Amino acid sequence: MTDGIALALLLLGVSLGVVGNWIKPPQKLTDRWIVGIFAVLLVGASIFTFLEGRLPAGQSAPPQADTTTVPAQAPTVPVQASASATPTPTASARQSTSPKTTPGPATRSAAGRPGATGKNEPPRSPYVAASSFQRFGGTHGPFSLVANGTALRIDTPDSIESQWGAYLKDHMMCDGTVEFDVRLGAGTVDYYGLAVLPRGGLDNDQATGDAIILYLDSDGTFIAKFSSLPTPGVGGVGGGSYPVADLRQTRHVVVSARGSTYSVKVDGIPAGEFAETESAGCGKLTLAAWGGTTAHIEDILMR
């Protein structure tokens, strides 16, 4: 606006100078000169009027920096406003917000291999599943075998003439260790107890092989000793009986068979080490009970 005013004032001054004889006029002020001066004044007035109408009186034009900043900020406003709204999800957005919860084919294949687990599956228990055991002894009297998770319960008849229990049907052990928690319900016959055969076998629906037997002695205490089934009896080098904790409360039992040597611990306390003259070879873990007892066996671990 300032430039327009200056231009108009300049033209007005020139005209006045010519009219007032401040500026040397042409030798002869013809009609053409008069029309030219009038046209110049008219153009100047028009420019002045145009510039006056662009802005209200007294308001200056905005700085150039503001003019360039406003368009740069303008796109930001709708973007922020649309973020608070709920847009219609695209295909890619639906996939990222709703992931599959079931394992894919590769995961299921990996989970199917022994010892492998899928990413979405809980880690497998290190304990032997109770359902892996097969019952024996039913031809010598009715009894019940209950398998639940990693727990076995053997309810035996009132007899010490036979044994009843379970063996691990799909696993052979040569040298190894088995451990578990056990509690024996009071039997109705003296000498009730439990036998552990790490490398056992079956003959006539009875457990056979070298065993560590844990049972109630005649003086009312529990003992451990080495024996051979199906006919219990003390045997082996270092044979004899060793006192152990009361098995009517839950105890942790560890039985090891290495070569011809057998050893047992109850609640971490050694309860005998026995040796045969020859190794028993390989067999299946067998658990046998008798005497009317109820044997509660849980969390069997083999290594």
Side-chain angles (χ1 to χ4, degrees):
M1 178 180 176
T2 304
D3 294 339
I5 295 173
L7 179 60
L9 292 176
L10 176 61
L11 294 175
L12 183 61
V14 171
S15 300
L16 292 176
V18 172
V19 174
N21 204 22
W22 296 335
I23 299 176
K24 187 176 181 179
Q27 293 296 327
K28 185 177 181 180
L29 189 61
T30 63
D31 294 337
R32 176 181 288 183
W33 275 98
I34 295 174
V35 172
I37 293 172
F38 180 78
V40 169
L41 291 174
L42 183 60
V43 170
S46 299
I47 294 174
F48 180 81
T49 303
F50 174 76
L51 294 175
E52 281 290 301
R54 295 285 290 178
L55 292 171
Q59 180 176 346
S60 60
Q64 187 65 24
D66 294 341
T67 304
T68 57
T69 303
V70 171
Q73 295 175 348
T76 307
V77 176
V79 171
Q80 294 175 346
S82 62
S84 61
T86 305
T88 302
T90 61
S92 60
R94 287 194 294 269
Q95 292 174 359
S96 62
T97 55
S98 300
K100 294 181 179 180
T101 55
T102 55
T107 304
R108 289 195 297 268
S109 175
R113 294 195 300 269
T117 57
K119 292 182 179 180
N120 295 332
E121 295 180 0
R124 293 184 178 180
S125 171
Y127 304 113
V128 178
S131 58
S132 300
F133 284 85
Q134 180 71 47
R135 59 186 284 133
F136 72 88
T139 60
H140 297 266
F143 80 106
S144 63
L145 175 68
V146 179
N148 182 19
T150 61
L152 283 172
R153 192 186 77 222
I154 308 171
D155 293 315
T156 63
D158 298 337
S159 173
I160 60 173
E161 301 299 326
S162 302
Q163 298 88 41
W164 296 264
Y167 67 94
L168 193 56
K169 56 184 178 180
D170 296 324
H171 182 80
M172 294 291 290
M173 177 183 286
C174 297
D175 283 356
T177 299
V178 57
E179 57 182 287
F180 52 86
D181 292 333
V182 62
R183 177 173 58 86
L184 298 180
T188 57
V189 179
D190 292 339
Y191 307 110
Y192 67 84
L194 173 74
V196 183
L197 297 85
R199 303 181 287 206
L202 288 178
D203 183 23
N204 189 29
D205 203 25
Q206 289 288 276
T208 62
D210 297 331
I212 297 294
I213 59 176
L214 307 162
Y215 66 98
L216 182 70
D217 201 3
S218 57
D219 62 357
T221 61
F222 284 86
I223 60 174
K225 70 177 183 179
F226 179 87
S227 182
S228 293
L229 295 181
T231 303
V234 176
V237 178
S241 58
Y242 296 81
V244 296
D246 190 340
L247 294 173
R248 287 169 294 191
Q249 300 178 21
T250 301
R251 305 296 179 182
H252 190 69
V253 174
V254 179
V255 175
S256 178
R258 305 285 178 180
S260 60
T261 302
Y262 291 77
S263 61
V264 58
K265 293 181 180 179
V266 177
D267 282 353
I269 300 175
E273 184 173 286
F274 315 92
E276 286 287 82
T277 56
E278 296 181 1
S279 173
C282 302
K284 298 180 179 181
L285 171 62
T286 304
L287 303 170
W290 61 89
T293 187
T294 298
H296 301 269
I297 303 168
E298 299 183 27
D299 296 341
I300 301 170
L301 186 63
M302 300 180 68
R303 61 180 189 276

